[in-house]
Amino acid sequence: MKRTLIHTLTFLLVMGSAQALAEQHTVKMKNSGNDGSMVFEPGYLEASPGDTVKFVATDPAHNSVSEAVPEGAEDWSGSINEEITVTLSEEGVYVYKCVPHATLNMAGVISVGKSTNYDAAKAAVEKLSNAAAANQGRLTGYFDNVAKP
């Protein structure tokens, strides 16, 4: 009984410590920023498994929707003007966009640990970039920061 209690308390302490180490990142959805018009800021982010990203509607008429996520991770789809918090549960590359401004290449990349889904993420970046009428090269520039597996 005593040994089980010690193991349980140790487990809870370790789990609590892991959650305390998780970081919350903020990505602003903006009409204009350092990388131009209709932009997520930052557009490229490095994080660790278990971290969260809070997408903040700094300017109106934006949302965040996943375009590619690693296997085992959950897709997300925020409504227009909605702040949404996403947990980065798996290692890999997360590619996301603003639906109303996707043609303006309002999209971003999050790299979490090893780029386990590099090829799928690259294909998503190419698809979004090829469909964009403005801000050419911005999203591929973000993706260039991702380490090849």
Side-chain angles (χ1 to χ4, degrees):
M1 172 79 175
K2 192 174 188 179
R3 181 177 250 168
T4 303
L5 179 61
I6 291 171
H7 287 262
T8 302
L9 290 174
T10 302
F11 173 78
L12 292 173
L13 180 63
V14 168
M15 291 306 294
S17 296
Q19 289 177 344
L21 294 176
E23 190 173 340
Q24 179 170 328
H25 306 272
T26 300
V27 173
K28 297 176 183 176
M29 300 180 275
K30 301 176 76 174
N31 292 342
S32 182
N34 293 333
D35 291 341
S37 63
M38 302 302 161
V39 65
F40 289 100
E41 205 166 80
Y44 174 75
L45 178 66
E46 290 183 2
S48 298
D51 285 1
T52 58
V53 176
K54 183 177 184 179
F55 291 92
V56 178
T58 305
D59 293 318
H62 300 296
N63 71 341
S64 175
V65 174
S66 59
E67 185 72 16
V69 298
E71 186 175 331
E74 290 188 32
D75 290 317
W76 70 86
S77 181
S79 298
I80 302 296
N81 299 324
E82 177 186 22
E83 288 189 3
I84 182 172
T85 300
V86 176
T87 300
L88 306 169
S89 61
E90 303 295 329
E91 284 191 318
V93 184
Y94 296 73
V95 180
Y96 58 93
K97 65 183 178 185
C98 172
V99 173
H101 302 111
T103 58
L104 300 174
N105 217 4
M106 186 172 178
V109 175
I110 304 169
S111 181
V112 179
K114 296 177 184 172
S115 54
T116 57
N117 62 328
Y118 183 90
D119 292 334
K122 184 176 182 180
V125 166
E126 289 173 355
K127 177 184 170 189
L128 287 169
S129 295
N130 289 339
N135 300 309
Q136 291 294 327
R138 181 166 64 194
L139 184 58
T140 54
Y142 296 154
F143 190 76
D144 286 344
N145 292 298
V146 175
K148 291 182 182 179

